[in-house]
Amino acid sequence: MEVAIFKTADEASRAAACLIGRSLKEKSSGTVLGLATGQTPLGTYEELVKMHKAAKISFRNVTAFNLDEYVGLEASDPRSYRAYMREHLFSKVDIESARCFIPDGSTRDPRAECTTYEEKIRKAGGIDLQLLGLGQDGHIGFNEPSSSLSSRTRLKTLTHVTRAANAANFGGSEKVPQHVLTMGLGTIMEARHCVLLALGANKADAVQKMVEGPLSAMLPASILQMHPRCTVILDEAAASGLARQNYYREVFAGKPAWQRWDLPLD
Ligand code: GLP
């Protein structure tokens, strides 16, 4: 795991956008991006839009797969993750809408939808870079504690904690759908590069356990310790619980220029 600590949330979000921007430029045949929702990636999406407007990156050949979606919401529902992605990224860049995939939460057959979603990822050649946020209980996607560490895309039941964390969009946690479709931990682990972004002091405990704690289904993000290429991007508040902070900072500061992924793109 590479742990990169930035002073502020803005700096961390900019760095994440530079890393994603680089991956778009590296693979002109078309990067396959895995995308996340929630508060955390908003700054990164804003930066990506700016980079696109400045003609530094294009999404023309990009294929995107989102991690998850609420069950029971139509794609047009403003509270759906599809609406979120449209609002914050897809409508603002040159990505082809036919190549923007999100599990269909309005399906009548969730099992078939999940199998098809996995097939689509496979057909696209697998995910090159998977962006991830982190739940306060250590979930990634909507893989709640006790999720199988080798799970695939499937229907999950949200915990009360997660429903409460997402209550603002729904006007109360009891109105947050109880069920979701989410890529599994096994699906996420097949991405060639996992990039987890965590911002703010309320993520510090989960970050510490994910990076330095034991691998456990009770802290699903800890599976990333097994990933051959995982970059964890943090602001100082989210990094504040890490015991080996100084070591991570030293490693990052000592990177040769050609390995730096956080510098602005030309
Ligand atoms: C939700 C999403 C996750 C996200 C997490 C953290 O549960 N399904 O993908 O990473 O919440 O959200 P936030 O970034 O708003 O803290």
Side-chain angles (χ1 to χ4, degrees):
M1 256 184 191
E2 175 182 28
V3 180
I5 305 170
F6 295 87
K7 213 168 189 40
T8 64
D10 283 353
E11 282 173 44
S13 302
R14 251 195 311 276
C18 290
L19 176 54
I20 296 169
R22 282 201 159 71
S23 88
L24 299 198
K25 282 175 96 88
E26 260 164 32
K27 200 173 169 192
S28 51
S29 60
T31 306
V32 181
L33 285 182
L35 296 174
T37 48
Q39 288 301 309
T40 308
L42 287 176
T44 298
Y45 292 151
E46 219 174 279
E47 284 299 321
L48 285 171
V49 170
K50 274 193 212 156
M51 284 158 62
H52 169 66
K53 294 223 152 72
K56 290 183 177 171
I57 52 169
S58 167
F59 288 76
R60 210 173 313 120
N61 296 321
V62 167
T63 302
F65 288 95
N66 263 76
L67 282 166
D68 45 19
E69 181 59 284
Y70 293 105
V71 167
L73 299 190
E74 293 297 327
S76 57
D77 191 309
R79 301 163 302 177
S80 69
Y81 282 160
R82 183 168 285 282
Y84 168 109
M85 290 309 300
R86 207 182 301 123
E87 181 184 346
H88 297 292
L89 188 67
F90 296 159
S91 67
K92 296 179 174 166
V93 297
D94 57 345
I95 196 164
E96 265 189 44
S97 54
R99 280 209 288 258
C100 297
F101 298 101
I102 301 184
D104 177 7
S106 67
T107 181
R108 291 203 180 173
D109 189 347
R111 197 174 294 180
E113 171 61 17
C114 293
T115 309
T116 310
Y117 202 66
E118 290 271 340
E119 272 166 23
K120 284 179 188 160
I121 296 174
R122 218 169 300 126
K123 271 198 194 139
I127 293 171
D128 291 306
L129 186 155
Q130 175 66 57
L131 180 64
L132 298 163
L134 180 67
Q136 287 183 45
D137 58 1
H139 72 249
I140 48 178
F142 267 135
N143 293 282
E144 298 281 31
S146 81
S147 286
S148 156
L149 295 175
S150 57
S151 47
R152 310 302 307 187
T153 304
R154 69 215 184 289
L155 184 136
K156 285 292 287 178
T157 305
L158 295 183
T159 62
H160 293 296
V161 178
T162 301
R163 289 174 82 197
N166 292 300
N169 279 347
F170 291 87
S173 61
E174 72 291 345
K175 294 192 183 127
V176 178
Q178 202 184 0
H179 297 113
V180 292
L181 302 183
T182 181
M183 275 188 209
L185 295 171
T187 320
I188 293 169
M189 286 294 284
E190 279 172 12
R192 287 181 271 280
H193 187 181
C194 284
V195 178
L196 185 139
L197 179 65
L199 308 172
N202 63 341
K203 301 292 171 73
D205 183 50
V207 166
Q208 194 279 328
K209 289 179 175 144
M210 166 183 74
V211 178
E212 297 176 334
L215 196 159
S216 163
M218 294 315 288
L219 202 292
S222 65
I223 187 66
L224 294 170
Q225 293 176 17
M226 297 286 290
H227 198 284
R229 192 173 176 211
C230 175
T231 306
V232 177
I233 304 178
L234 307 171
D235 63 0
E236 281 189 345
S240 60
L242 290 168
R244 307 199 74 194
Q245 252 184 82
N246 292 342
Y247 173 65
Y248 310 134
R249 286 179 197 276
E250 235 174 74
V251 172
F252 194 68
K255 265 180 177 304
W258 62 268
Q259 271 193 343
R260 291 289 295 264
W261 44 259
D262 58 316
L263 305 175
L265 300 185
D266 305 329

